[in-house]
Amino acid sequence: IISTLKTEAFTLKIKTSPYLDIIQETGSKKLAQIFVANFRHSLNFKLDLRVGDTLVMIYDQKYRLGEPFSKPILKTAMIEMKKKKHFIYLNDDERYYDEKGHEVEGFLLARPVRHARISSYFTKRRWHPILHKWKAHLGIDYAARRGTPVVAAGSGTVIYAARMGTYGNLIKIRHSDGYETRYAHLKSFRRGIRRGKRVKKGQIIAYVGTTGRSTGPHLHFELRKHGRAINPLRVVQVTTKKLKGKEMRTFQKLRNYYDKIIEFH
C-alpha cells in the first residue's frame, strides 16, 4: 500500500499545557512528546508559560489509506513565553538546534540502567559494607541483575575500558564541558567498546556485574567535572554542538525558510 507524506502546520493558543493542547489539536501523543522533550531542559513551562501564549509547529506525517502512521517528524516549532519567542529546528544532521545554532539535546541521562533500584546514594559519608568504616561514596549504585545492559549516560568518547583495581571492569566516557562518566563493577563490555570509540547517549556499552570490590551485582555510576565527583542525580547541562562556518550558513538558510512559514501562520 502506497503511503503519502504530508507537511502539516498549525498554530494554537495555550489553554492548559503544550502537551495536552498538542494532543487535542493533532490527536498525536508522539508529536506532543517530541515537542516537550526538545524544550524540556531549556524552558520552564510551569513557571513562564501563560494561558494564551502562542505555539506553532511544522511537522511531516505519513498517511496510509487516509490514516496517519509511523512517527511524525517535527521539523520546527516555536513557543512564545513572556512575549519572547523560542524556536527549535531539525537540521540536516537529524539533530535539533535553537535559533543561534546550538544543539538542544545536550543532557546527560539520569539513569544508565533502566529498571534498577538505587541501592546507595552519593554521599560524603557512608558506612562501607566491606571495609566496615565510614567512607565517601562518590557515585550512585544501581542494584540490578547480572547481565543487565548499561547505557552511556551521554554522548562522548570512551577514554578507558579495562580493569582498574577496586572498580573492577571500568568504562570512562569523556563528554563536553569537562564532564566524565564512570561505570564500574561491570561483568563485560559490549563488543566494539574500547578506548577512542565515540558513543551516543542511550547506547548500550556494557553489562552489570560484580567485579572489583563489590558485595553483589550492581552498577557504580560516577559523574565528574574537571576530575571532581558531583552528584549524578542533579540535573546537569552539557553544551553540545555549536554550528560553525559552512554548516552554520546552511542552517541559517533552513532557519530563514522556516521562520517565513511560521510568520505566515
Side-chain angles (χ1 to χ4, degrees):
I1 296 168
I2 297 167
S3 66
T4 53
L5 180 71
K6 283 188 189 170
T7 300
E8 310 272 15
F10 66 86
T11 302
L12 59 79
K13 298 280 184 196
I14 298 295
K15 291 195 203 97
T16 45
S17 73
Y19 185 79
L20 294 171
D21 292 344
I22 291 166
I23 293 172
Q24 197 178 353
E25 181 73 28
T26 64
S28 172
K29 267 190 182 170
K30 283 179 184 161
L31 200 58
Q33 284 161 353
I34 295 165
F35 177 87
V36 172
N38 282 297
F39 276 120
R40 184 173 56 214
H41 297 297
S42 57
L43 303 180
N44 190 328
F45 292 140
K46 280 196 176 74
L47 277 182
D48 299 331
L49 197 60
R50 301 282 176 268
V51 169
D53 280 345
T54 306
L55 184 157
V56 182
M57 288 180 90
I58 298 167
Y59 64 100
D60 284 350
Q61 178 67 64
K62 281 184 180 164
Y63 287 87
R64 192 188 277 161
L65 297 174
E67 288 294 314
F69 87 102
S70 88
K71 204 168 155 182
I73 296 168
L74 178 61
K75 305 296 269 189
T76 185
M78 185 282 289
I79 188 158
E80 190 183 7
M81 289 161 62
K82 292 187 171 171
K83 302 202 166 40
K84 186 175 176 348
K85 293 176 174 178
H86 303 269
F87 297 84
I88 53 167
Y89 308 87
L90 182 64
N91 196 25
D92 301 341
D93 60 4
E94 311 267 296
R95 298 170 182 206
Y96 288 100
Y97 293 84
D98 66 13
E99 53 271 40
K100 296 191 181 96
H102 285 113
E103 191 186 350
V104 298
E105 276 191 296
F107 279 76
L108 292 170
L109 292 177
R111 282 193 173 252
V113 186
R114 298 190 182 100
H115 316 300
R117 169 178 73 79
I118 294 180
S119 55
S120 189
Y121 287 86
F122 180 95
T123 172
K124 296 283 159 79
R125 199 164 181 269
R126 172 186 82 138
W127 181 253
H128 197 283
I130 294 177
L131 302 175
H132 299 295
K133 64 178 185 185
W134 293 101
K135 198 174 183 300
H137 185 244
L138 301 177
I140 300 277
D141 285 350
Y142 291 96
R145 299 211 341 233
R146 194 190 298 252
T148 302
V150 174
V151 303
S155 300
T157 305
V158 175
I159 54 168
Y160 190 91
R163 265 192 100 89
M164 186 192 265
T166 55
Y167 275 123
N169 289 331
L170 173 72
I171 289 177
K172 294 185 194 177
I173 297 174
R174 186 174 56 225
H175 311 278
S176 47
D177 287 2
Y179 285 104
E180 178 192 303
T181 48
R182 296 182 177 188
Y183 312 76
H185 309 309
L186 302 165
K187 173 174 169 270
S188 57
F189 309 132
R190 190 178 183 177
R191 230 173 77 198
I193 295 295
R194 56 184 169 273
R195 222 174 108 187
K197 170 95 175 150
R198 283 277 310 157
V199 291
K200 278 190 157 167
K201 178 165 89 169
Q203 181 182 331
I204 295 173
I205 53 167
Y207 304 93
V208 170
T210 182
T211 55
R213 189 190 285 155
S214 164
T215 50
H218 73 284
L219 172 75
H220 171 81
F221 174 64
E222 278 181 30
L223 175 65
R224 290 176 177 257
K225 180 157 191 177
H226 301 308
R228 197 172 66 83
I230 56 177
N231 187 349
L233 293 183
R234 297 208 348 252
V235 175
V236 176
Q237 185 172 6
V238 178
T239 55
T240 45
K241 211 168 153 185
K242 165 106 172 78
L243 297 172
K244 293 187 186 85
K246 193 179 161 197
E247 278 189 332
M248 185 62 175
R249 288 191 293 278
T250 309
F251 169 74
Q252 282 165 339
K253 278 182 197 153
L254 180 93
R255 185 191 66 191
N256 296 342
Y257 165 73
Y258 281 126
D259 285 354
K260 283 195 182 82
I261 300 174
I262 287 174
E263 258 175 61
F264 175 73
H265 265 269

